[in-house]
Amino acid sequence: MNKIEYEIDYNNKIEIVYKTSKPIEIISFANSIRDISNSFQYHVSKELKQVNINSQLFIKEVRAGSVELDLVAYALPLLHIVYEHGILVNWATTLKTTIDFIKTCSKIPEFFDKREEKYIKNIVSPIAQDKSLQLFFNAYNGANVTYNFNINHDDASSIISKTPSIQEDNTENGYMYKQMLKWYQTKFDLKATTGDKAIVESISKKPKKIIFANETIKKSLTSRDDRFEKPWHELAYIVDLEIQFSDQEPILYKILDYYPEDTFDPAE
């Protein structure tokens, strides 16, 4: 990913307030604030793909009955054109929509993003443990509140009850865009779901199992390219991919898209 750094935009921020009449259990609280930041970064990686926006979470104030934090991000030019109220508000509204979706489900669908599910579970966990605790999100542009919502004990308990299978530090997904992929082995069968392995050196020099978002992509990456004399399995491809990790080790690549104009002969 291309890492772009600018000055922190303190004018736009998300104020995060934990309000309670009791002490907060430290581990679940630490996991909650960690995954608020992780959730924002993950949202950015999906929304803006190759751009990585650094963010910081500051503890603003701790006093009897509340802990207040500010989530701010580095400013990027032109983002206000894409997102009317900024990428932070875009993340907050998406988070609220996702939480509302989980609350209305009898069971979280299998297609639901497990990494996002894990982040949300950790964010709301302290609120589920303490009936007196509420979590408030207030988006500011200068002194003006542009968006706000809160999560109460009932909301958090509903979410936790539907995410019993999510394990801390087990398996999660990541995304990378426009990465070079080289074939390692394949069954030369469009319908085969086992045996396909490839190397993405920017992630790991070891071959990993790959699957495809659809058959069209697989057919494109397993067919002769008339621009080259070499067979297709000796070419290098530029792809967008989802990476599945287990214990921080990549174990599976899912090819989401590819860029045929960028295919090349790695020997040249």
Side-chain angles (χ1 to χ4, degrees), residues 1 17 42 49 60 79 129 154 157 159 166 170 181 188-189 193 196 201 217 220-221 255:
M1 289 186 180
V17 182
Y42 185 51
K49 295 191 175 181
K60 178 182 178 182
L79 271 187
Q129 296 172 17
D154 290 341
S157 297
I159 292 167
I166 301 300
N170 186 10
L181 175 146
F188 297 89
D189 182 354
T193 57
D196 292 336
E201 292 184 354
I217 296 175
S220 298
L221 269 66
I255 310 305

Side-chain angles (χ1 to χ4, degrees), residues 134-146:
Q134 291 192 75
L135 179 57
F136 294 83
F137 292 82
N138 303 307
Y140 283 89
N141 181 293
N144 300 317
V145 176
T146 56

Side-chain angles (χ1 to χ4, degrees), residues 35-266:
D35 281 349
I36 285 173
S37 181
N38 285 340
S39 174
F40 171 68
Q41 288 285 2
Y42 185 51
H43 176 76
V44 168
S45 74
K46 292 193 295 183
E47 285 286 305
L48 302 181
K49 295 191 175 181
Q50 71 269 23
V51 177
N52 179 26
I53 299 180
N54 284 331
S55 66
Q56 293 187 20
L57 189 63
F58 297 98
I59 294 180
K60 178 182 178 182
E61 188 173 0
V62 179
R63 62 172 183 262
S66 72
V67 177
E68 298 182 12
L69 308 100
D70 285 341
L71 178 64
V72 295
Y74 287 93
L76 286 181
L78 304 180
L79 271 187
H80 65 282
I81 298 175
V82 182
Y83 304 105
E84 181 181 0
H85 298 294
I87 189 66
L88 283 164
V89 173
N90 180 263
W91 163 74
T93 55
T94 302
L95 179 65
K96 175 65 163 58
T97 300
T98 305
I99 287 172
D100 288 344
F101 172 76
I102 293 175
K103 284 162 51 181
T104 60
C105 291
S106 57
K107 181 181 178 182
I108 295 180
E110 287 297 321
F111 65 78
F112 198 83
D113 189 320
K114 297 302 180 185
R115 188 173 185 180
E116 190 171 11
E117 183 181 342
K118 173 188 168 183
Y119 288 155
I120 290 175
K121 178 181 180 180
N122 286 338
I123 289 169
V124 306
S125 183
I127 297 89
Q129 296 172 17
D130 181 357
K131 290 184 178 180
S132 70
L133 181 59
Q134 291 192 75
L135 179 57
F136 294 83
F137 292 82
N138 303 307
Y140 283 89
N141 181 293
N144 300 317
V145 176
T146 56
Y147 184 75
N148 64 82
F149 72 96
N150 73 291
I151 303 169
N152 60 32
H153 175 74
D154 290 341
D155 296 334
S157 297
S158 174
I159 292 167
I160 293 295
S161 69
K162 296 168 185 176
T163 57
S165 62
I166 301 300
Q167 301 295 321
E168 184 68 21
D169 295 326
N170 186 10
T171 299
E172 57 183 43
N173 297 348
Y175 295 84
M176 294 187 73
Y177 303 89
K178 290 198 170 183
Q179 302 299 308
M180 182 183 71
L181 175 146
K182 293 188 290 186
W183 278 103
Y184 178 78
Q185 71 178 41
T186 180
K187 281 193 170 181
F188 297 89
D189 182 354
L190 286 178
K191 295 183 178 180
T193 57
T194 60
D196 292 336
K197 289 187 177 182
I199 296 173
V200 181
E201 292 184 354
S202 59
I203 302 171
S204 174
K205 296 189 181 300
K206 297 179 180 179
K208 304 294 179 181
K209 175 179 171 59
I210 64 170
I211 59 176
F212 298 85
N214 56 63
E215 287 191 7
T216 300
I217 296 175
K218 181 170 184 179
K219 184 176 181 179
S220 298
L221 269 66
T222 55
S223 299
R224 176 174 175 77
D225 190 325
D226 292 335
R227 295 174 297 172
F228 303 94
E229 293 183 1
K230 283 189 174 180
W232 55 264
H233 56 278
E234 294 182 13
L235 300 176
Y237 300 89
I238 304 301
V239 300
D240 295 342
L241 68 161
E242 178 181 349
I243 312 107
Q244 187 174 102
F245 294 88
S246 180
D247 296 326
Q248 300 183 343
E249 177 70 21
I251 58 172
L252 174 72
Y253 302 144
K254 181 177 182 179
I255 310 305
L256 305 175
D257 201 357
Y258 91 110
Y259 301 83
E261 68 278 8
D262 294 327
T263 301
F264 65 96
D265 181 349

